[in-house]
PDB file of all heavy atoms in Angstrom:
ATOM      1  N   ILE C 818       1.780 -33.889 -21.611  1.00  0.00           N
ATOM      2  CA  ILE C 818       0.996 -34.080 -20.391  1.00  0.00           C
ATOM      3  C   ILE C 818      -0.285 -34.820 -20.726  1.00  0.00           C
ATOM      4  O   ILE C 818      -0.643 -34.952 -21.890  1.00  0.00           O
ATOM      5  CB  ILE C 818       0.580 -32.741 -19.735  1.00  0.00           C
ATOM      6  CG1 ILE C 818      -0.361 -31.976 -20.681  1.00  0.00           C
ATOM      7  CG2 ILE C 818       1.786 -31.903 -19.388  1.00  0.00           C
ATOM      8  CD1 ILE C 818      -1.058 -30.815 -20.040  1.00  0.00           C
ATOM      9  N   ARG C 819      -0.934 -35.271 -19.681  1.00  0.00           N
ATOM     10  CA  ARG C 819      -2.247 -35.845 -19.844  1.00  0.00           C
ATOM     11  C   ARG C 819      -3.074 -35.410 -18.670  1.00  0.00           C
ATOM     12  O   ARG C 819      -2.703 -35.629 -17.521  1.00  0.00           O
ATOM     13  CB  ARG C 819      -2.139 -37.369 -19.868  1.00  0.00           C
ATOM     14  CG  ARG C 819      -3.272 -38.039 -20.601  1.00  0.00           C
ATOM     15  CD  ARG C 819      -3.099 -39.541 -20.517  1.00  0.00           C
ATOM     16  NE  ARG C 819      -4.266 -40.059 -19.810  1.00  0.00           N
ATOM     17  CZ  ARG C 819      -5.102 -40.959 -20.337  1.00  0.00           C
ATOM     18  NH1 ARG C 819      -4.859 -41.456 -21.512  1.00  0.00           N
ATOM     19  NH2 ARG C 819      -6.143 -41.371 -19.659  1.00  0.00           N
ATOM     20  N   LEU C 820      -4.176 -34.747 -18.976  1.00  0.00           N
ATOM     21  CA  LEU C 820      -5.013 -34.201 -17.925  1.00  0.00           C
ATOM     22  C   LEU C 820      -6.365 -34.868 -17.992  1.00  0.00           C
ATOM     23  O   LEU C 820      -7.157 -34.611 -18.896  1.00  0.00           O
ATOM     24  CB  LEU C 820      -5.153 -32.688 -18.154  1.00  0.00           C
ATOM     25  CG  LEU C 820      -4.952 -31.720 -16.987  1.00  0.00           C
ATOM     26  CD1 LEU C 820      -3.872 -32.203 -16.030  1.00  0.00           C
ATOM     27  CD2 LEU C 820      -4.631 -30.352 -17.528  1.00  0.00           C
ATOM     28  N   ARG C 821      -6.601 -35.784 -17.046  1.00  0.00           N
ATOM     29  CA  ARG C 821      -7.908 -36.389 -16.958  1.00  0.00           C
ATOM     30  C   ARG C 821      -8.553 -35.895 -15.685  1.00  0.00           C
ATOM     31  O   ARG C 821      -7.914 -35.241 -14.877  1.00  0.00           O
ATOM     32  CB  ARG C 821      -7.801 -37.918 -16.962  1.00  0.00           C
ATOM     33  CG  ARG C 821      -7.530 -38.510 -18.321  1.00  0.00           C
ATOM     34  CD  ARG C 821      -8.707 -38.300 -19.267  1.00  0.00           C
ATOM     35  NE  ARG C 821      -8.370 -38.667 -20.649  1.00  0.00           N
ATOM     36  CZ  ARG C 821      -7.687 -37.877 -21.466  1.00  0.00           C
ATOM     37  NH1 ARG C 821      -7.253 -36.699 -21.055  1.00  0.00           N
ATOM     38  NH2 ARG C 821      -7.423 -38.256 -22.704  1.00  0.00           N
ATOM     39  N   SER C 822      -9.775 -36.233 -15.517  1.00  0.00           N
ATOM     40  CA  SER C 822     -10.508 -35.695 -14.379  1.00  0.00           C
ATOM     41  C   SER C 822      -9.686 -35.786 -13.097  1.00  0.00           C
ATOM     42  O   SER C 822      -9.436 -36.860 -12.583  1.00  0.00           O
ATOM     43  CB  SER C 822     -11.826 -36.441 -14.218  1.00  0.00           C
ATOM     44  OG  SER C 822     -11.581 -37.739 -13.754  1.00  0.00           O
ATOM     45  N   ARG C 823      -9.288 -34.631 -12.650  1.00  0.00           N
ATOM     46  CA  ARG C 823      -8.592 -34.526 -11.363  1.00  0.00           C
ATOM     47  C   ARG C 823      -7.329 -35.379 -11.282  1.00  0.00           C
ATOM     48  O   ARG C 823      -6.950 -35.833 -10.209  1.00  0.00           O
ATOM     49  CB  ARG C 823      -9.525 -34.902 -10.222  1.00  0.00           C
ATOM     50  CG  ARG C 823     -10.979 -34.558 -10.458  1.00  0.00           C
ATOM     51  CD  ARG C 823     -11.555 -33.746  -9.350  1.00  0.00           C
ATOM     52  NE  ARG C 823     -12.118 -32.510  -9.849  1.00  0.00           N
ATOM     53  CZ  ARG C 823     -12.194 -31.387  -9.165  1.00  0.00           C
ATOM     54  NH1 ARG C 823     -11.712 -31.337  -7.950  1.00  0.00           N
ATOM     55  NH2 ARG C 823     -12.721 -30.299  -9.683  1.00  0.00           N
ATOM     56  N   ASP C 824      -6.699 -35.586 -12.415  1.00  0.00           N
ATOM     57  CA  ASP C 824      -5.462 -36.359 -12.403  1.00  0.00           C
ATOM     58  C   ASP C 824      -4.520 -35.793 -13.453  1.00  0.00           C
ATOM     59  O   ASP C 824      -4.854 -35.729 -14.637  1.00  0.00           O
ATOM     60  CB  ASP C 824      -5.756 -37.831 -12.706  1.00  0.00           C
ATOM     61  CG  ASP C 824      -4.486 -38.650 -12.836  1.00  0.00           C
ATOM     62  OD1 ASP C 824      -3.785 -38.820 -11.814  1.00  0.00           O
ATOM     63  OD2 ASP C 824      -4.181 -39.099 -13.959  1.00  0.00           O
ATOM     64  N   PHE C 825      -3.353 -35.366 -13.008  1.00  0.00           N
ATOM     65  CA  PHE C 825      -2.373 -34.745 -13.892  1.00  0.00           C
ATOM     66  C   PHE C 825      -1.221 -35.723 -14.099  1.00  0.00           C
ATOM     67  O   PHE C 825      -0.483 -36.051 -13.183  1.00  0.00           O
ATOM     68  CB  PHE C 825      -1.905 -33.438 -13.252  1.00  0.00           C
ATOM     69  CG  PHE C 825      -0.743 -32.782 -13.932  1.00  0.00           C
ATOM     70  CD1 PHE C 825      -0.379 -33.069 -15.235  1.00  0.00           C
ATOM     71  CD2 PHE C 825      -0.018 -31.816 -13.252  1.00  0.00           C
ATOM     72  CE1 PHE C 825       0.694 -32.434 -15.846  1.00  0.00           C
ATOM     73  CE2 PHE C 825       1.048 -31.177 -13.854  1.00  0.00           C
ATOM     74  CZ  PHE C 825       1.403 -31.485 -15.144  1.00  0.00           C
ATOM     75  N   HIS C 826      -1.097 -36.171 -15.319  1.00  0.00           N
ATOM     76  CA  HIS C 826      -0.060 -37.135 -15.646  1.00  0.00           C
ATOM     77  C   HIS C 826       1.028 -36.443 -16.465  1.00  0.00           C
ATOM     78  O   HIS C 826       0.768 -35.988 -17.575  1.00  0.00           O
ATOM     79  CB  HIS C 826      -0.674 -38.286 -16.455  1.00  0.00           C
ATOM     80  CG  HIS C 826       0.202 -39.491 -16.521  1.00  0.00           C
ATOM     81  ND1 HIS C 826      -0.247 -40.711 -16.992  1.00  0.00           N
ATOM     82  CD2 HIS C 826       1.476 -39.675 -16.167  1.00  0.00           C
ATOM     83  CE1 HIS C 826       0.731 -41.588 -16.928  1.00  0.00           C
ATOM     84  NE2 HIS C 826       1.790 -40.983 -16.445  1.00  0.00           N
ATOM     85  N   LEU C 827       2.205 -36.384 -15.923  1.00  0.00           N
ATOM     86  CA  LEU C 827       3.308 -35.737 -16.635  1.00  0.00           C
ATOM     87  C   LEU C 827       4.047 -36.782 -17.468  1.00  0.00           C
ATOM     88  O   LEU C 827       4.720 -37.659 -16.939  1.00  0.00           O
ATOM     89  CB  LEU C 827       4.259 -35.076 -15.628  1.00  0.00           C
ATOM     90  CG  LEU C 827       5.462 -34.348 -16.218  1.00  0.00           C
ATOM     91  CD1 LEU C 827       5.049 -33.464 -17.382  1.00  0.00           C
ATOM     92  CD2 LEU C 827       6.156 -33.536 -15.155  1.00  0.00           C
ATOM     93  N   LEU C 828       3.911 -36.671 -18.775  1.00  0.00           N
ATOM     94  CA  LEU C 828       4.465 -37.692 -19.663  1.00  0.00           C
ATOM     95  C   LEU C 828       5.906 -37.399 -20.063  1.00  0.00           C
ATOM     96  O   LEU C 828       6.719 -38.304 -20.186  1.00  0.00           O
ATOM     97  CB  LEU C 828       3.600 -37.793 -20.929  1.00  0.00           C
ATOM     98  CG  LEU C 828       2.131 -38.117 -20.692  1.00  0.00           C
ATOM     99  CD1 LEU C 828       1.343 -37.981 -21.984  1.00  0.00           C
ATOM    100  CD2 LEU C 828       1.992 -39.510 -20.105  1.00  0.00           C
ATOM    101  N   ASP C 829       6.198 -36.147 -20.289  1.00  0.00           N
ATOM    102  CA  ASP C 829       7.536 -35.806 -20.784  1.00  0.00           C
ATOM    103  C   ASP C 829       8.025 -34.530 -20.110  1.00  0.00           C
ATOM    104  O   ASP C 829       7.875 -33.432 -20.631  1.00  0.00           O
ATOM    105  CB  ASP C 829       7.463 -35.613 -22.312  1.00  0.00           C
ATOM    106  CG  ASP C 829       8.852 -35.453 -22.933  1.00  0.00           C
ATOM    107  OD1 ASP C 829       9.815 -35.198 -22.181  1.00  0.00           O
ATOM    108  OD2 ASP C 829       8.953 -35.587 -24.164  1.00  0.00           O
ATOM    109  N   GLU C 830       8.631 -34.737 -18.956  1.00  0.00           N
ATOM    110  CA  GLU C 830       9.042 -33.593 -18.145  1.00  0.00           C
ATOM    111  C   GLU C 830      10.071 -32.694 -18.832  1.00  0.00           C
ATOM    112  O   GLU C 830       9.913 -31.473 -18.825  1.00  0.00           O
ATOM    113  CB  GLU C 830       9.578 -34.077 -16.785  1.00  0.00           C
ATOM    114  CG  GLU C 830       9.988 -32.945 -15.878  1.00  0.00           C
ATOM    115  CD  GLU C 830      10.096 -33.372 -14.417  1.00  0.00           C
ATOM    116  OE1 GLU C 830       9.693 -34.508 -14.069  1.00  0.00           O
ATOM    117  OE2 GLU C 830      10.576 -32.560 -13.613  1.00  0.00           O
ATOM    118  N   PRO C 831      11.108 -33.282 -19.435  1.00  0.00           N
ATOM    119  CA  PRO C 831      12.108 -32.413 -20.087  1.00  0.00           C
ATOM    120  C   PRO C 831      11.477 -31.557 -21.179  1.00  0.00           C
ATOM    121  O   PRO C 831      11.772 -30.365 -21.300  1.00  0.00           O
ATOM    122  CB  PRO C 831      13.106 -33.403 -20.681  1.00  0.00           C
ATOM    123  CG  PRO C 831      12.918 -34.663 -19.922  1.00  0.00           C
ATOM    124  CD  PRO C 831      11.485 -34.695 -19.526  1.00  0.00           C
ATOM    125  N   ARG C 832      10.593 -32.175 -21.924  1.00  0.00           N
ATOM    126  CA  ARG C 832       9.952 -31.443 -23.013  1.00  0.00           C
ATOM    127  C   ARG C 832       9.066 -30.329 -22.462  1.00  0.00           C
ATOM    128  O   ARG C 832       9.021 -29.229 -23.008  1.00  0.00           O
ATOM    129  CB  ARG C 832       9.101 -32.426 -23.827  1.00  0.00           C
ATOM    130  CG  ARG C 832       8.424 -31.856 -25.049  1.00  0.00           C
ATOM    131  CD  ARG C 832       9.229 -32.100 -26.304  1.00  0.00           C
ATOM    132  NE  ARG C 832       8.565 -31.477 -27.468  1.00  0.00           N
ATOM    133  CZ  ARG C 832       8.581 -30.179 -27.712  1.00  0.00           C
ATOM    134  NH1 ARG C 832       9.246 -29.370 -26.899  1.00  0.00           N
ATOM    135  NH2 ARG C 832       7.967 -29.694 -28.764  1.00  0.00           N
ATOM    136  N   LEU C 833       8.392 -30.601 -21.387  1.00  0.00           N
ATOM    137  CA  LEU C 833       7.539 -29.585 -20.786  1.00  0.00           C
ATOM    138  C   LEU C 833       8.385 -28.410 -20.287  1.00  0.00           C
ATOM    139  O   LEU C 833       8.028 -27.244 -20.468  1.00  0.00           O
ATOM    140  CB  LEU C 833       6.721 -30.163 -19.629  1.00  0.00           C
ATOM    141  CG  LEU C 833       5.666 -29.218 -19.039  1.00  0.00           C
ATOM    142  CD1 LEU C 833       4.642 -28.788 -20.071  1.00  0.00           C
ATOM    143  CD2 LEU C 833       4.969 -29.847 -17.828  1.00  0.00           C
ATOM    144  N   ALA C 834       9.515 -28.742 -19.707  1.00  0.00           N
ATOM    145  CA  ALA C 834      10.410 -27.698 -19.206  1.00  0.00           C
ATOM    146  C   ALA C 834      10.910 -26.836 -20.357  1.00  0.00           C
ATOM    147  O   ALA C 834      11.041 -25.620 -20.247  1.00  0.00           O
ATOM    148  CB  ALA C 834      11.594 -28.327 -18.474  1.00  0.00           C
ATOM    149  N   GLU C 835      11.145 -27.510 -21.464  1.00  0.00           N
ATOM    150  CA  GLU C 835      11.618 -26.818 -22.657  1.00  0.00           C
ATOM    151  C   GLU C 835      10.551 -25.846 -23.165  1.00  0.00           C
ATOM    152  O   GLU C 835      10.825 -24.669 -23.406  1.00  0.00           O
ATOM    153  CB  GLU C 835      11.922 -27.887 -23.708  1.00  0.00           C
ATOM    154  CG  GLU C 835      12.770 -27.465 -24.873  1.00  0.00           C
ATOM    155  CD  GLU C 835      12.969 -28.672 -25.806  1.00  0.00           C
ATOM    156  OE1 GLU C 835      12.871 -29.832 -25.325  1.00  0.00           O
ATOM    157  OE2 GLU C 835      13.190 -28.444 -27.008  1.00  0.00           O
ATOM    158  N   ILE C 836       9.353 -26.361 -23.291  1.00  0.00           N
ATOM    159  CA  ILE C 836       8.238 -25.529 -23.747  1.00  0.00           C
ATOM    160  C   ILE C 836       8.020 -24.355 -22.801  1.00  0.00           C
ATOM    161  O   ILE C 836       7.751 -23.240 -23.221  1.00  0.00           O
ATOM    162  CB  ILE C 836       6.941 -26.357 -23.837  1.00  0.00           C
ATOM    163  CG1 ILE C 836       7.068 -27.412 -24.941  1.00  0.00           C
ATOM    164  CG2 ILE C 836       5.740 -25.459 -24.110  1.00  0.00           C
ATOM    165  CD1 ILE C 836       5.917 -28.389 -24.996  1.00  0.00           C
TER     166      ILE C 836
END
Side-chain angles (χ1 to χ4, degrees):
Chain C
I818 64 168
R819 205 182 118 121
L820 227 35
R821 283 293 170 280
S822 71
R823 328 233 124 209
D824 174 67
F825 171 19
H826 196 168
L827 180 46
L828 302 171
D829 188 345
E830 182 162 351
R832 183 96 182 76
L833 187 60
E835 196 180 335
I836 294 173

